Structures are given as structure tokens and as C-alpha cells.
RNA sequence: GGGGCUGUAGUAGAGUCGGUUACAACGCCGGCCUGUCACGCCGGAGGUCGCGGGUUCGAGUCCCGUCAGCCCCGCCA
């Protein structure tokens, strides 16, 4: 097919520098413009588009062939890089100064008419795009995302290699462990009735590699969690997984923020200021209501419980009396919100369990609000002062238990930041959130569960709390938050077998279960484990922010739908009875 | 498991209060056109209104169910 034709350049890379050269180009037909005589073809490849000019007077044969060419045909063209005639330079194109005067043309492959136009102007429903993903991936938007993803992966490898990390692969067929997300299971043919689990992360293996003395490990690795999908969650996703020996939290954070800074420099040309801000979990919750605050704008939550504890508004006073929280945020210049908008905000906080949203519009005459009448002048003055309220502002209050008040207002703050355009996509605000609680009480299971995971070390000063008030113990954990998104998280691990056993017992995992599930880790810890810690970054979420994508599907070549299916390959599918028999698996009839 | 949005030629949309033959655009096919670049002009083909049921003399439109895609809650150590 190619014969002795050999590609000399990429289409999109040609510039005036190649002027006069004879070139051989290959690519896809973006568009053909047939003027009856002259025919123009925009030829596209990974790098971009260049214009081919076919003149019937110069080469009748090539011109004749060009007449039957259609969109997305794969063609090869030989010709000369030429300056465009006066007045026909296209400043919108990277290659707009030149065109190829074609003297030989070859059709390498014909193409059916594509189901949708492969240009940047046509918007296509996502289910169609996913079914023909290989075509959607030809479009510049996804091409650019995938190319940047490659650049980031390359940068990660270079940086970590420079900093003494070793890339080591860990098993994909591994062991199901309790705690955490639902596992994807793989039946073992050789061991009927037994199952492998796909890893939720290589957590235990990377700790074993520290015990083995590799000092610093990393892997760009697929992880699997069988949970419901979201705009930023896929069942299989990629982590930049790291683990380091003989380090404390500060060392991990400083090595890793160097990595992030390098990524932003290479991918976007953005220089980040280091070190990144640090924020404790308690402070994050107090000021922003959530542990992943968006720091691109202010609008912080203000605690008003003390001010309203004796006020005439029973809803607030009761909550204060019962140990709950009354908090509010000040939407600067928000008094223009319509009744409908306020109703929508009320519906919004109800999603997170709030019973309602009290609002106040600050006018020249003072409070305009359904709840204004319940407060005396002193209380009004104190509230205004606490919130920095000025004429034209909108104050929004939630009163409930601490968890609901913080979450509802925190989410409302993030929502308003988007709605009011305070969250500029090209403004990158990082923070490390530290000192997470080690444990959390699970009301359903009537036991503590690990906030991070069962191998996270407590703060040294909080170790005594494990025996007295384990719920108050803080962890040597850290999350990296970027623009309201958790892009990474990790901790210093327990490297002492006895502390690890104590942790398991706090989690309600008895000795026998601990041996069954984690025996190999406990063994490893007993054979000389170095102090170690690590972190994992969600590469997909990081790519979303770097590319400005609203969906995780836009940074993954072949993503799954919300029902975890692949519209392209039609996975998952039914399998032959014979395959099931070999695996010793029998299907249960699904009851409807 | 739950809440919400969407579904009309290949694509993305319009379609009023339920009323005759479901519109125009892009794409596609044919013709014309030698400087276009989201080329232009003329003509043409193309429809299971997601699917099933119901109400009605009559349903793209109203009702019920269902499927698919998306967003969210729960879930995601």
C-alpha cells in the first residue's frame, strides 16, 4: 500500500521554516474544498492540520484522484511546501502561512461517512461519542488531553527517578481485604471456589517493598473499586502511587509538592509557589465546612452559635442548646438573589440533610428576612459584625448538628463559588490538609472504622488516646487539595507490629481475622520494617484540572458510562456456560 | 436503593392549546464553480418522534410503565 512512500513530516508541524522543501505527508482528510478547478484538502494528524492545494494545471492525475476523496479518507501526498499567495494566509491556522503544492496523491484507505462531524464545532451526545470513541479520540480536544496525560506521566517518571524512586509493578490478581470499597472479584479456575480481588490500591505491597529495602517506590498504576460512578469517579482509575522509607510527614509533603510543581511547569508552564499552604482538618472544617476546601475564593463559614444561643428564634436557640452548630456565610453583593434562587439554594442544602436555609438581605433599612423579627438590636449588631455584613450582602444560615451544618454550608459555599464565577479554572490553589482523625465511629456497625486506612499511624502525642478516647486520636495523614478537589492523600504508616495489632483491635478485627487477612503484613512488620510513609495521587482528577475537563471521561481514552459499561466494546457481557463451568461458578437467577 | 435532567432524519435542534403531508440548519448524494479555509450556488435523498401500553374521533405533544445517557444523595478505608 505504502510502496516506497515514506512520511517525511507531521502535518501540523510544518512552518515557514520548511519552505521550498519536498515533503511526503500522511494523514486523515479533515475537509475537502472543491472549487471545480482548484481543490483544497485539509490534512490532519496528531500535530494538527495543513492545507494541500491540488491544481489541475500542475498535476491532472492527482487532481482527478482528489475529486473522489471524502472526509476521513486516509491519504498520502507528495509535494512542495510553498508560500500561500498574497492575501490568502490564514492567521487562524498554525500552518496558515504555507500550503503543500501537491504533485502526487495516494489514497491509503477509504472511510465510511462518520456518524458525526470530527471538527471542534459540532457538539455530539456523549453516548454517541462513547460508542464511536475511536472517532471522538481523533478530535483535537481529546487528542490534546491524551497527549498532555502522556506528558504528565513522563514528567512523573523523570522527577521520581531523579529523587531516588524505583518503579516496581505489583500484582493485579491479589487478595480481597475487609474495610474500604467493594472489591472486583476474579474467580480462580485452578482453585475452584476461591477468588482473587483486583487491587483498590497497591497499599500492602508497597509497604512490603519498604520492608524489602527498596527505600523509595513508585508506580503509575490502575486501581479498581466497585462503587457507583460520579463525574470524577470511574471503577478503574489510575494512581501515582508512592512510598518512602525513613521519612516523616514533612519530607513526604515537600518531595511531593516538588513533583506537583514540576508537573504544572511542564504541562502548563505555570510556576507554583512552594511550600504549599498547610491546614489542619479541624481548621478546614471550621472555616470551610469540608475537608477539601476550594481556596480560590473567601466566603468563609462563620460560627454564630454563641451569639444566638439565647435568641428568640427557637430553631437557632434549640440547636445551640443541644450542642449543635449555627453557622452562616456572607455572599457579598448577593442581596440581588431572586426568591426562586433562594428557594433553589434551600433545596440544595436539603440534599445534605439541612432542614432549611435562613436568609437575610442587607438593605439600607437593615435586615430584610423572614427571621428578622426574632432578634433584638444587640444580637443583630453582633451577627452583622461577626459576618462583616454590609448593605447589599446576602447572609445564609444553617443550624443543625455539627456534621450537617458544616457539610451543607460547605457544599453551598462551593456551589456558590461556581455559580458566581469565583472559581477561575486557570487559578490553581493548593493546600495540604493534615491531622485527620484516625478513627470514625460507624453507627451501623457499632464500631470504629479507619478514616484513611488501618495502616495509618496516629500522631505520636495522641497514642495514649487510643486507650482512653480513640475517637479523638489524630492521624499522621495528609491530603493534597486543589481547587476543591482531593487530588491525593497519604500517611505515615504504622511500622510497629504491636501498634498495628492494637489498631486492628480498635477496628473490631480480632487476632484470628487479622492473621487471616493481613498475616503477611504483620509478619513483614516483625522482620525489621523501616519507618515509612507514602501517598497516592489520582492521576485522572489531576488531569481533569490540568485540562479543564468537567468529566473524568474526558481524560481517559476508553471510559465507562455511569452504569459502568463500555459502549464501545459492550463490556460487561454474558459468558459461555462452558467458561462458567471451568470456573466452578453457577449463576443465581436475578429476582426482580 | 433514592432524587433530578434529557431522548424528534446521520448530527445537533424547532415543533404553539392534542388537529391535515413533522420543519429549517450541518452532514450525505448529484450538478456547477481556479484561492478557499466551518468555501459558495442549484437540486435531491433521508423519520419506528427511545421502546411498550393507555386516554382520545385524532398523540411527537396528555397519562402510566420501561430502556438508555448524564448530574446528584447513599456508597467511594
Amino acid at each position: 500500500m505504502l510502496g516506497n512512500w515514506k512520511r517525511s513530516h507531521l502535518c501540523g508541524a510544518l512552518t515557514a521554516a520548511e519552505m521550498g522543501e519536498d515533503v511526503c505527508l500522511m494523514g486523515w482528510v479533515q475537509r475537502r474544498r472543491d472549487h471545480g478547478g482548484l481543490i483544497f484538502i485539509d490534512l490532519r494528524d496528531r500535530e494538527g492540520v495543513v492545507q494541500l492545494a491540488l491544481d489541475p494545471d500542475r498535476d491532472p492525475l492527482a487532481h482527478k484522484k482528489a475529486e473522489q476523496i471524502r472526509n476521513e479518507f486516509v491519504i498520502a501526498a507528495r509535494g512542495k511546501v510553498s508560500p500561500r499567495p498574497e492575501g490568502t494566509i490564514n492567521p487562524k491556522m498554525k500552518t496558515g502561512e504555507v500550503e503543500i503544492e501537491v504533485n502526487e496523491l495516494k489514497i491509503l484507505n477509504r472511510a465510511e461517512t462518520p456518524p458525526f462531524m470530527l471538527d471542534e464545532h459540532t457538539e455530539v451526545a456523549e453516548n454517541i461519542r462513547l460508542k464511536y470513541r475511536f472517532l471522538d479520540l481523533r478530535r483535537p480536544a481529546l487528542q490534546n488531553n491524551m497527549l498532555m496525560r502522556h506528558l504528565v506521566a513522563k514528567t512523573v517518571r523523570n522527577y521520581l527517578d531523579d529523587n531516588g524512586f524505583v518503579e516496581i509493578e505489583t500484582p493485579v490478581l491479589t487478595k480481597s481485604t475487609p474495610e474500604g470499597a467493594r472489591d472486583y472479584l476474579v474467580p480462580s479456575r485452578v482453585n475452584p471456589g476461591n477468588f482473587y480481588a483486583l487491587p483498590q490500591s497497591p497499599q500492602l505491597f508497597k509497604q512490603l517493598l519498604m520492608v524489602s529495602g527498596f527505600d523509595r517506590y513508585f508506580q503509575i498504576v490502575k486501581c479498581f473499586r466497585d462503587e457507583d460512578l460520579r463525574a470524577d469517579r470511574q471503577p478503574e482509575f489510575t494512581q501515582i502511587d508512592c512510598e518512602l522509607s525513613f521519612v516523616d510527614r514533612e519530607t513526604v509533603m515537600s518531595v511531593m509538592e516538588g513533583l506537583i510543581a514540576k508537573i504544572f511547569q511542564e504541562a502548563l508552564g505555570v510556576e507554583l509557589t512552594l511550600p504549599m499552604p498547610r491546614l489542619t482538618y479541624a481548621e478546614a472544617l471550621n472555616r470551610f465546612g469540608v475537608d477539601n476546601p476550594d481556596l480560590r475564593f473567601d466566603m468563609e463559614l462563620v460560627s454564630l452559635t454563641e451569639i444566638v444561643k439565647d435568641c428568640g428564634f427557637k430553631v437557632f436557640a434549640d440547636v445551640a442548646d443541644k450542642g449543635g452548630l449555627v453557622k452562616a456565610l456572607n455572599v457579598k453583593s448577593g442581596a440581588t438573589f431572586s426568591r426562586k434562587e433562594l428557594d433553589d439554594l434551600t433545596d440544595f442544602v436539603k440534599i445534605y440533610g439541612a432542614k432549611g436555609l435562613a436568609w437575610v438581605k442587607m438593605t439600607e433599612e437593615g435586615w430584610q428576612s423572614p427571621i428578622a423579627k426574632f432578634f433584638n438590636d444587640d444580637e443583630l449588631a453582633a451577627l452583622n459584625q461577626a459576618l462583616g455584613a454590609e448593605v447589599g450582602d446576602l447572609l445564609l444560615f444553617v443550624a443543625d448538628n455539627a456534621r450537617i451544618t458544616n457539610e451543607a454550608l460547605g457544599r453551598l459555599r462551593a456551589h456558590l463559588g461556581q455559580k458566581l464565577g469565583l472559581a477561575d479554572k486557570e487559578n490553581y490553589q493548593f493546600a495540604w490538609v493534615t491531622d485527620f482523625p484516625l478513627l470514625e465511629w460507624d453507627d451501623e456497625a457499632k464500631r470504629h472504622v479507619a478514616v484513611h486506612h488501618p495502616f495509618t499511624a496516629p500522631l505520636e502525642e495522641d497514642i495514649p488516646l487510643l486507650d482512653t478516647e480513640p475517637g479523638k486520636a489524630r492521624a499522621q495523614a495528609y491530603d493534597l487539595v486543589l481547587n476543591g478537589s482531593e487530588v491525593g492523600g497519604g500517611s505515615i504508616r504504622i511500622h510497629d507490629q504491636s501498634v498495628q495489632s492494637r489498631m486492628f483491635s480498635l477496628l473490631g478485627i480480632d487476632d484470628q481475622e487479622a492473621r487471616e487477612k493481613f498475616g503477611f503484613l504483620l509478619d513483614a512488620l516483625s522482620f525489621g520494617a523501616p519507618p515509612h510513609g507514602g501517598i497516592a495521587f489520582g492521576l485522572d482528577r489531576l488531569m481533569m484540572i490540568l485540562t479543564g475537563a468537567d468529566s473524568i471521561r474526558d481524560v481517559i481514552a476508553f471510559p465507562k458510562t455511569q452504569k459502568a459499561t463500555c459502549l464501545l466494546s459492550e463490556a460487561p457481557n454474558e459468558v459461555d456456560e462452558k467458561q462458567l463451568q471451568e470456573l466452578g461458578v453457577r449463576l443465581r437467577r436475578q429476582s426482580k
Side-chain angles (χ1 to χ4, degrees):
Chain A
M1 202 71 210
L2 286 173
N4 63 346
W5 288 50
K6 201 167 159 57
R7 183 170 68 176
S8 67
H9 294 77
L10 287 168
C11 304
L14 288 174
T15 63
E18 282 79 29
M19 201 71 80
E21 284 183 36
D22 286 312
V23 295
C24 176
L25 303 178
M26 300 183 188
W28 287 262
V29 173
Q30 175 72 33
R31 210 170 201 105
R32 183 187 63 131
R33 289 178 294 280
D34 187 344
H35 288 243
L38 210 52
I39 293 177
F40 296 106
I41 290 173
D42 290 340
L43 192 63
R44 183 192 70 235
D45 62 21
R46 202 175 83 185
E47 294 299 312
V49 171
V50 72
Q51 173 166 287
L52 309 181
L54 292 112
D55 189 333
D57 302 336
R58 188 171 54 244
D59 190 90
L61 201 69
H63 181 268
K64 190 83 190 149
K65 271 190 200 160
E67 283 181 340
Q68 47 165 313
I69 282 176
R70 294 294 180 271
N71 285 350
E72 301 308 315
F73 273 32
V74 184
I75 64 170
R78 283 172 164 168
K80 187 193 288 273
V81 182
S82 311
R84 292 195 181 186
E86 188 74 27
T88 64
I89 286 175
N90 185 349
K92 283 185 285 187
M93 284 174 79
K94 208 169 66 175
T95 61
E97 283 181 60
V98 302
E99 65 186 11
I100 312 302
E101 282 180 8
V102 176
N103 46 47
E104 233 184 320
L105 196 68
K106 198 174 207 174
I107 296 176
L108 297 175
N109 208 351
R110 303 170 64 86
E112 297 290 327
T113 301
F116 51 87
M117 287 286 287
L118 300 186
D119 57 28
E120 59 242 81
H121 313 286
T122 309
E123 295 218 359
V124 185
E126 199 171 6
N127 53 341
I128 309 283
R129 292 171 49 203
L130 288 172
K131 181 173 176 189
Y132 298 97
R133 188 64 165 180
F134 47 90
L135 295 180
D136 200 22
L137 283 165
R138 276 186 200 165
R139 307 210 293 177
L142 287 185
Q143 287 256 318
N144 290 339
N145 290 357
M146 298 319 300
L147 292 174
M148 191 190 283
R149 189 170 172 132
H150 162 72
L151 175 63
V152 169
K154 190 179 84 164
T155 304
V156 167
R157 288 201 164 89
N158 287 344
Y159 176 91
L160 291 175
D161 177 60
D162 288 346
N163 282 274
F165 287 76
V166 183
E167 184 167 14
I168 301 176
E169 291 162 90
T170 52
V172 170
L173 296 176
T174 179
K175 188 175 178 180
S176 181
T177 53
E179 307 276 311
R182 196 175 293 113
D183 286 319
Y184 276 99
L185 297 177
V186 179
S188 166
R189 175 184 58 84
V190 184
N191 303 279
N194 291 344
F195 294 81
Y196 302 98
L198 304 183
Q200 297 177 25
S201 82
Q203 182 60 33
L204 297 177
F205 288 101
K206 65 175 172 174
Q207 290 191 239
L208 298 182
L209 289 169
M210 295 302 97
V211 176
S212 301
F214 285 98
D215 199 78
R216 291 185 173 191
Y217 141 97
F218 86 97
Q219 192 179 186
I220 297 176
V221 62
K222 275 286 178 75
C223 301
F224 306 86
R225 294 178 190 175
D226 186 6
E227 298 292 351
D228 287 341
L229 289 82
R230 288 286 188 279
D232 63 352
R233 257 163 47 188
Q234 284 268 306
E236 56 176 306
F237 60 101
T238 304
Q239 286 190 344
I240 303 167
D241 193 46
C242 303
E243 196 77 8
L244 305 76
S245 294
F246 308 110
V247 291
D248 57 13
R249 284 197 291 181
E250 274 305 319
T251 307
V252 177
M253 288 189 277
S254 93
V255 171
M256 291 302 153
E257 60 189 27
L259 169 64
I260 298 294
K262 190 75 186 167
I263 290 171
F264 272 72
Q265 191 181 61
E266 295 287 330
L268 298 179
V270 168
E271 298 292 334
L272 301 179
T273 310
L274 301 185
M276 293 170 181
R278 315 285 158 101
L279 202 59
T280 66
Y281 171 86
E283 189 183 358
L285 244 58
N286 186 34
R287 292 171 56 192
F288 306 102
V290 292
D291 62 8
N292 56 345
D294 191 334
L295 299 177
R296 286 173 294 183
F297 53 92
D298 296 330
M299 206 158 67
E300 294 190 14
L301 277 52
V302 179
S303 185
L304 307 165
T305 317
E306 279 305 304
I307 300 174
V308 301
K309 67 178 194 292
D310 298 317
C311 76
F313 187 38
K314 263 189 86 61
V315 176
F316 285 6
D318 282 357
V319 163
D321 193 45
K322 285 179 187 144
L325 278 182
V326 181
K327 291 174 97 167
L329 48 82
N330 181 352
V331 186
K332 283 304 199 184
S333 308
T336 52
F337 276 46
S338 67
R339 186 59 204 245
K340 167 85 169 73
E341 284 174 303
L342 292 170
D343 285 346
D344 287 347
L345 296 183
T346 305
D347 288 341
F348 181 86
V349 295
K350 282 181 178 170
I351 294 173
Y352 304 99
K355 291 172 197 70
L357 182 71
W359 55 267
V360 173
K361 290 181 176 182
M362 295 299 294
T363 69
E364 299 284 0
E365 291 78 41
W367 278 31
Q368 183 204 324
S369 168
I371 64 168
K373 57 185 179 244
F374 297 112
F375 298 92
N376 64 37
D377 288 348
D378 287 348
E379 287 161 349
L380 289 176
L383 289 170
N384 285 342
Q385 199 204 344
L387 285 159
E390 298 170 311
V391 173
D393 291 350
L394 173 70
L395 315 178
L396 298 171
F397 297 74
V398 170
D400 214 299
N401 65 43
R403 191 180 58 78
I404 289 176
T405 297
N406 278 329
E407 187 176 7
L409 271 179
R411 299 287 200 123
L412 180 64
R413 174 180 174 275
H415 175 73
L416 286 167
Q418 296 291 333
K419 178 179 156 77
L420 299 173
L422 304 174
D424 175 8
K425 273 190 178 182
E426 291 179 26
N427 178 9
Y428 306 99
Q429 295 300 324
F430 289 85
W432 289 103
V433 178
T434 65
D435 295 3
F436 281 78
L438 186 67
L439 301 163
E440 191 174 44
W441 182 254
D442 183 335
D443 246 353
E444 260 177 55
K446 301 283 178 226
R447 65 178 183 89
H448 285 102
V449 293
V451 169
H452 189 51
H453 58 51
F455 320 106
T456 298
L459 285 187
E460 268 175 54
E461 70 231 55
D462 287 0
I463 287 180
L465 287 172
L466 295 183
D467 297 322
T468 55
E469 294 175 282
K472 290 215 167 137
R474 290 163 298 171
Q476 295 193 51
Y478 32 80
D479 276 3
L480 184 65
V481 173
L482 166 55
N483 291 0
S485 179
E486 180 206 324
V487 295
S491 63
I492 299 299
R493 326 296 186 189
I494 299 168
H495 65 276
D496 180 285
Q497 194 199 19
S498 67
V499 177
Q500 186 65 69
S501 294
R502 193 130 131 250
M503 184 73 175
F504 283 144
S505 78
L506 279 169
L507 295 172
I509 301 173
D510 62 30
D511 282 354
Q512 193 195 333
E513 189 181 358
R515 293 273 5 138
E516 266 169 35
K517 306 292 187 185
F518 305 109
F520 61 105
L521 176 74
L522 293 172
D523 278 349
L525 294 180
S526 73
F527 283 103
H532 62 287
I535 192 165
F537 295 100
L539 179 59
D540 313 281
R541 284 188 188 172
L542 202 55
M543 291 313 306
M544 282 177 71
I545 294 170
L546 288 167
T547 60
D550 290 321
S551 164
I552 194 171
R553 295 180 297 280
D554 291 341
V555 298
I556 295 175
F558 300 103
K560 300 208 167 28
T561 67
Q562 193 168 46
K563 283 192 71 187
T565 66
C566 172
L567 295 181
L568 175 67
S569 67
E570 298 187 315
N573 60 339
E574 294 184 352
V575 296
D576 291 343
E577 181 57 32
K578 183 164 176 290
Q579 288 178 285
L580 292 176
Q581 263 176 28
E582 281 182 336
L583 294 168
V585 170
R586 188 161 48 212
L587 296 181
R588 234 187 257 221
R589 188 172 287 280
Q590 290 293 314
S591 52
K592 269 215 113 177

